[in-house]
Structure formats: C-alpha cells, structure tokens
C-alpha cells in the first residue's frame, strides 16, 4: 500500500469514527432509546440519521466524506 493510500484510508476511518460520535450525540439528545440502540447497534445510528435528517444531517455528511476518502484510497 502506498503512502497516499494509507493516509487516505487512515483519515477516512478517522472521519467515520467522528461521524459516528456525532451521530451518537444527536441520538442521545433526541431520545434515550435511540441513544442506547445507536451504541449497541452502530448501523442503526445511521438509520436514525436517515430518518432524522434535520437533526443528524451533519453527521451523515461527515460519514459520506469519510467513505469518499476510503474509496479514493483504493
């Protein structure tokens, strides 16, 4: 793996982690149950973001940026 690919992969994964943390914050602020499910089932956190786009849209945008970075690494 080249240095550029490794850097993009690292930053992409870090960006996805930040987006998940932002999603957790949004879910906990909205409802206790959403927060628990988002912690226990991380894909559910992104499903929550799709249903509550006005509250969690920023974290979905950060996740898309992270996925683009990971895709560019390949």
């Amino acid at each position: 793996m080249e240095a550029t690919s490794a850097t993009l992969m690292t930053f992409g994964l870090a960006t996805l982690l930040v987006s998940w943390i932002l999603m957790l914050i949004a879910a906990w602020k909205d409802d206790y149950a959403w927060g628990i499910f988002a912690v226990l089932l991380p894909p559910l956190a992104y499903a929550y973001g799709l249903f509550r786009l006005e509250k969690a849209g920023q974290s979905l945008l950060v996740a898309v940026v992270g996925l683009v970075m990971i895709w560019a690494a390949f």
Side-chain angles (χ1 to χ4, degrees):
M1 183 177 268
E2 294 181 19
T4 306
S5 296
T7 303
L8 279 173
M9 182 69 73
T10 302
F11 284 134
L13 290 173
T15 305
L16 282 177
L17 179 66
V18 168
S19 75
W20 184 63
I21 292 170
L22 289 172
M23 188 72 68
L24 286 175
I25 292 169
W28 279 103
K29 283 183 179 179
D30 188 30
D31 188 20
Y32 176 76
W34 274 115
I36 290 291
F37 284 123
V39 167
L40 296 176
L41 301 168
L44 187 63
Y46 291 107
Y48 163 78
L50 291 175
F51 289 117
R52 304 285 183 157
L53 199 56
E54 68 279 352
K55 294 181 181 179
Q58 179 185 8
S59 59
L60 285 176
L61 182 63
V62 173
V64 168
V65 169
L67 288 173
V68 167
M69 282 188 214
I70 291 172
W71 179 78
F74 291 109

